[in-house]
Amino acid sequence: MQSCNFCAIVAGEAPAAIVAETDELIAFLDVRPVSEGHTLVVPKRHAARLADLPAEDGTRMFALGHRLARAARAGELGADGVNLVVNDGREAFQTVDHVHLHVIPRFAGDKRALLGRFLRRGPRTSDGAALLLRAALPD
């Protein structure tokens, strides 16, 4: 397997703003977020595409995504909505060859700005959203 940025994060060899972690999954802030609190839920077991992902890992990934979506809305981050997105393959805009679920908090009035950020995503400027999401994660 070629080097994988997400596998490096799982192994503790690359930095990340960790939001949540289980034995099977890790969730961390996107380095080029679309919105504040944009989090990636990543299975620790490498799978490049959905077809490679064991069903139980997919189930766990979406369950944690659900918890994070609830945290984004209920906690101090104060999201008005949330998008859950999986990009499967280059043609679907997958940029890292390791299956992952985007949990993208949405805020009132952000539609036009959000489209522009998709086109020119910049680096994350703070890890503060990770603290807010962790504090609001339901059990």
Side-chain angles (χ1 to χ4, degrees):
M1 171 178 54
Q2 291 182 336
S3 105
C4 171
N5 293 339
F6 292 172
C7 287
I9 290 170
V10 168
E13 298 166 357
I18 306 298
V19 176
E21 187 169 5
T22 69
D23 289 342
E24 299 88 9
L25 303 168
I26 190 164
F28 49 88
L29 295 182
D30 194 307
V31 295
R32 292 179 29 223
V34 172
S35 67
E36 184 178 10
H38 179 171
T39 303
L40 304 178
V41 180
V42 177
K44 289 183 175 179
R45 182 176 8 190
H46 184 86
R49 302 285 180 268
L50 282 173
D52 306 323
L53 185 71
E56 62 273 11
D57 285 351
T59 299
R60 290 182 188 108
M61 185 174 69
F62 273 91
L64 181 52
H66 178 251
R67 289 182 59 222
L68 287 163
R70 289 175 55 203
R73 293 188 74 157
E76 287 188 44
L77 191 61
D80 297 306
V82 178
N83 288 117
L84 298 177
V85 180
V86 173
N87 301 327
D88 187 33
R90 295 283 174 200
E91 293 76 14
F93 308 114
Q94 182 179 4
T95 58
V96 176
D97 289 328
H98 188 128
V99 173
H100 54 287
L101 173 67
H102 293 261
V103 181
I104 305 171
R106 300 293 305 277
F107 302 90
D110 73 355
K111 287 181 185 171
R112 179 167 287 164
L114 186 73
L115 289 174
R117 284 193 295 269
F118 266 119
L119 297 175
R120 14 171 234 293
R121 291 167 59 184
R124 186 179 72 247
T125 57
S126 167
D127 294 348
L131 297 172
L132 296 177
L133 289 167
R134 276 195 302 270
L137 270 175
D139 294 328

